[in-house]
Amino acid sequence: MLRGMVNTSERGVPSGIIKAQQGKFEVEPLDFNAQLRFPLNIPIYDRVRADGQVESVLNAVQLPILSAPWDLHTEGVRDEVVALIRTELGLPEPGNGMGPRARREGIRWSEHLEQVLTMLWAGFMCFEQVYEVSPARPGQEDTGLDEIVHLRKLSPRMPQSITSIEVGRDGGLEAVTQVGLDDKDIRIPVDQLVMYTHKREGADWSGRSILRTAYRHWLIKDALIRVDAQAGERNSMGIPVVTYSSDADKEEALKIAQDLRAGATSGVALEESKMSLAIVGVQGATVDLLPKISYHDQQIAKSALAMFLDLGHDNGARSLGETHLKVFLNRLQQVADYIAVTATEHIIRDLVELNFGPDEPYPALTPGNLRASQGISVEELSTLVNSKVIQPDDQLEGFVRSNHGLPQVDKSTTRPGGAQEGGVAIVDASQIARSAPVPAPTAPSATDEHDEKLNGLLGELLSVRERRGKR
């Protein structure tokens, strides 16, 4: 009864695919600019990211994600499964920033993550999974398995080497094709791939680069920089002009003007009646292109919501910094969460299924809160402590010392006068002044008596001079 009422077949097709040979489907990028469709867009964006402002924007986007507190959400997951995944992904234990010691084979999550972020400028980034079966490694002894399927490599397959992306009729990823060392195409199926795509639309697995909206501004800026360089070269030195009196001297005058160069011994001698020489500079005002170049730099930063990179150029701009940073980090949180979901479903899930079976619960990768991971300033911490929102303790002091490069506390040499024993020493300078012991009065010495007599004589002398002046 219900089967006749429910649509169980897919009639339509997602946009972004074309029918290729042998009944296969390939990605058809949806960009209206043919030059910016995959695979033609990859070398263009590779050139764009060589720009200084673009590189600053890319670094600003990547650093919060790279420095996020990546960890595993392990609720309902057995400890031996967590230990296996943590060691296989090279994830550090909570509170251990160095992470586990690298093995000869295997991956480290921080290095993999840095390669994953290639998808931001290229639109996508894919990796080939390479496994090996061998005994347990350090940290995996409690798994209870004699042989473990290890993730030996997540080998990057750079976008520059990918020639086509194969999809199914429903838009699902099927395979990618790469140019091999012998110029022959290599097909890598989806069950051996981990594919990260930035802003996928329909079946377009080539994604959308964050440089797409910045491309127009980069193109105009690049032309302006070239024109500005030409203007400086042409107009900054002046043009030598040689005036001649007869047509017979024209060629000689032109040669003198062309051969004239600056130097310690350079110069020219002319017959006054025949020729004269002058260095003619720019007359009138020229167009200053730097404000236009700066405008396009700001638009490039805005295209990635990194407006805070240009704070200070306008009055009152710094007051918007906190708002700009909040919007920026919210966007990056979405990117980091997408990376976490993709890695969980296509790396962690596969590893757990290969070693423990398809019904075993698996941990989920999480980047944490990017805004919280940016830390807290000393001023903000001081405000929270003074308002008694936070009570200082040993753990807080250790956190402050560690984040600010301060040495660990040595209680044997700690000065008194701070917080109570075991707490963070937070001292008010005015309280120190008020509570400082007042030195006890001492008996006057012979030197003090001599100084008093001398001061008395000087006072009498000044009084005599004042009386004489009044007369």
Side-chain angles (χ1 to χ4, degrees):
M1 182 70 179
L2 292 177
R3 291 184 180 180
M5 302 172 58
V6 178
N7 178 24
T8 58
S9 61
E10 190 172 352
R11 298 176 182 270
V13 294
S15 56
I17 63 173
I18 57 175
K19 194 169 184 178
Q21 297 178 354
Q22 300 178 353
K24 296 181 179 180
F25 297 90
E26 291 185 356
V27 165
E28 181 188 32
L30 302 175
D31 200 303
F32 65 88
N33 188 337
Q35 292 182 341
L36 297 180
R37 295 175 186 168
F38 173 78
L40 300 179
N41 61 341
I42 300 300
I44 294 178
Y45 290 141
D46 202 4
R47 181 185 170 195
V48 172
R49 69 190 183 108
D51 179 83
Q53 177 72 355
V54 173
E55 182 68 15
S56 296
V57 171
L58 289 176
N59 286 333
V61 171
Q62 293 174 9
L63 287 176
I65 299 177
L66 291 173
S67 59
W70 291 88
D71 201 2
L72 295 174
H73 180 69
T74 61
E75 184 177 356
V77 182
R78 291 190 294 147
D79 292 341
E80 49 267 37
V81 176
V82 175
L84 175 69
I85 297 302
R86 192 176 295 281
T87 52
E88 290 295 316
L89 292 187
L91 272 172
E93 293 283 350
N96 181 8
M98 295 300 293
R101 183 172 298 175
R103 305 183 301 270
R104 178 175 299 179
E105 299 292 348
I107 68 172
R108 185 182 289 272
W109 174 252
S110 59
E111 295 176 359
H112 174 69
L113 181 60
E114 190 168 4
Q115 293 174 330
V116 168
L117 295 178
T118 299
M119 74 170 185
L120 294 176
W121 68 264
F124 72 96
M125 183 64 192
C126 54
F127 298 82
E128 183 177 356
Q129 296 166 302
V130 183
Y131 297 97
E132 72 172 9
V133 180
S134 62
R137 292 171 177 160
Q140 302 174 348
E141 297 84 357
D142 296 334
T143 56
L145 301 174
D146 296 331
E147 298 286 337
I148 292 180
V149 179
H150 298 285
L151 182 61
R152 186 166 67 90
K153 285 184 179 179
L154 281 172
S155 296
R157 303 295 175 246
M158 301 305 292
Q160 295 92 328
S161 66
I162 304 299
T163 57
S164 65
I165 302 175
E166 183 182 327
V167 296
R169 185 184 181 279
D170 60 352
L173 183 66
E174 295 284 343
V176 299
T177 302
Q178 182 189 37
V179 178
L181 297 177
D182 54 357
D183 293 332
K184 294 183 179 179
D185 289 342
I186 302 174
R187 184 179 182 273
I188 307 175
V190 66
D191 58 358
Q192 300 175 16
L193 279 176
V194 180
M195 186 77 161
Y196 298 91
T197 304
H198 181 252
K199 286 191 173 182
R200 176 167 65 94
E201 298 178 353
D204 184 5
W205 284 84
S206 65
R208 182 180 178 88
S209 169
I210 65 170
L211 303 182
R212 178 60 186 91
T213 52
Y215 174 72
R216 177 176 62 176
H217 297 287
W218 169 85
L219 195 63
I220 298 174
K221 172 193 168 183
D222 187 62
L224 290 175
I225 290 177
R226 296 175 186 274
V227 171
D228 189 61
Q230 293 175 356
E233 181 181 3
R234 183 178 181 86
N235 300 326
S236 61
M237 297 180 294
I239 300 176
V241 177
V242 180
T243 305
Y244 56 91
S245 58
S246 64
D247 292 341
D249 300 327
K250 180 178 180 180
E251 293 185 4
E252 183 181 359
L254 182 59
K255 188 175 186 306
I256 292 173
Q258 292 176 342
D259 293 344
L260 187 62
R261 296 290 185 273
T265 59
S266 63
V268 61
L270 302 174
E271 187 177 346
E272 184 177 1
S273 61
K274 295 177 61 177
M275 299 181 190
S276 62
L277 173 66
I279 303 297
V280 180
V282 177
Q283 298 179 358
T286 59
V287 178
D288 184 9
L289 298 180
L290 290 181
K292 298 180 183 295
I293 295 174
S294 178
Y295 165 78
H296 290 289
D297 271 341
Q298 294 178 23
Q299 296 305 308
I300 290 173
K302 284 183 179 180
S303 68
L305 298 179
M307 294 84 72
F308 58 88
L309 292 177
D310 292 303
L311 289 179
H313 294 287
D314 303 316
N315 292 331
R318 292 188 180 276
S319 61
L320 301 175
E322 185 176 350
T323 302
H324 288 173
L325 187 60
K326 180 180 179 180
V327 174
F328 178 71
L329 290 178
N330 285 342
R331 174 68 186 101
L332 296 191
Q333 186 72 57
Q334 294 180 346
V335 175
D337 289 341
Y338 163 77
I339 294 173
V341 170
T342 302
T344 298
E345 296 303 319
H346 298 284
I347 300 177
I348 296 177
R349 181 177 181 178
D350 290 352
L351 267 172
V352 174
E353 185 171 335
L354 289 171
N355 285 283
F356 298 98
D359 298 328
E360 181 70 32
Y362 54 93
L365 189 66
T366 172
N369 189 327
L370 265 61
R371 290 187 62 194
S373 65
Q374 298 306 303
I376 185 172
S377 66
V378 175
E379 292 78 10
E380 293 171 335
L381 181 60
S382 177
T383 301
L384 292 173
V385 171
N386 291 334
S387 60
K388 297 184 179 180
V389 174
I390 292 179
Q391 295 294 328
D393 54 25
D394 284 345
Q395 187 175 2
L396 178 60
E397 180 176 2
F399 170 81
V400 173
R401 288 177 176 272
S402 175
N403 282 325
H404 293 276
L406 300 175
Q408 295 297 320
V409 64
D410 183 1
K411 294 186 177 181
S412 64
T413 60
T414 301
R415 269 64 170 178
Q420 296 179 356
E421 184 178 356
V424 180
I426 301 175
V427 182
D428 189 344
S430 60
Q431 293 179 359
I432 294 177
R434 290 195 297 268
S435 61
V438 179
T442 57
S445 63
T447 303
D448 295 335
E449 294 178 356
H450 175 75
D451 291 340
E452 291 180 1
K453 292 180 179 179
L454 181 59
N455 290 334
L457 292 175
L458 290 175
E460 293 179 1
L461 179 60
L462 290 174
S463 300
V464 172
R465 287 184 176 180
E466 289 180 359
R467 289 195 297 269
R468 288 181 178 178
K470 291 180 179 180
R471 294 177 183 176

